[in-house]
Amino acid sequence: MSTNTQEKPCNCFKETLDRVKKLYLEKGKVPEGAIDVDFRWQGQGFILSEGEFAPVNPKIEVKFRSLKRDGSHAKNMSKAEVSMIATHCCFCGRKYQRNE
């Protein structure tokens, strides 16, 4: 990758969302006369650090049945989520520029 590509901001998430919106509307997936139509990434993050970041952070869902004191397993599943912060764009592979 050239140096110029590294310095140019990555717009992949915006461009992809715009493409999905355009195709979705062109194919008539939104009913005629619908109002307040909104397209946005789920799991959007708000990061206070400077530099480039992906606007969304993928999550990993964890599920398990805990072991009870009597040695049997719990009836209900325990759940947790772990959010990941990407260092590279998942669309173009460009490394995000961050202030170290």
Side-chain angles (χ1 to χ4, degrees), residues 5 10 17 27 33-35 37 46 49 51 78 90-91 94 96:
T5 304
C10 173
L17 189 63
K27 293 189 180 285
I35 63 170
V37 179
F46 184 72
S49 300
S78 294
C90 65
F91 294 106
R94 182 184 171 280
Y96 291 122

Side-chain angles (χ1 to χ4, degrees), residues 45-79:
F46 184 72
I47 299 172
L48 298 174
S49 300
E50 291 186 27
E52 291 181 302
F53 294 90
V56 294
N57 300 310
K59 291 183 181 179
I60 298 172
E61 183 179 64
V62 181
K63 291 182 182 180
F64 57 91
R65 291 188 197 280
S66 297
L67 190 63
K68 297 191 313 186
R69 289 184 189 173
D70 66 4
S72 64
H73 287 94
K75 177 181 175 185
N76 296 326
M77 298 286 285
S78 294
K79 297 178 185 178

Side-chain angles (χ1 to χ4, degrees), residues 2-21:
S2 72
T3 307
N4 288 343
T5 304
Q6 289 290 60
E7 293 173 5
K8 181 183 173 195
C10 173
N11 293 320
C12 292
F13 279 90
K14 181 189 177 318
E15 290 169 2
T16 301
L17 189 63
D18 289 346
R19 284 179 59 206
V20 168
K21 179 180 180 179

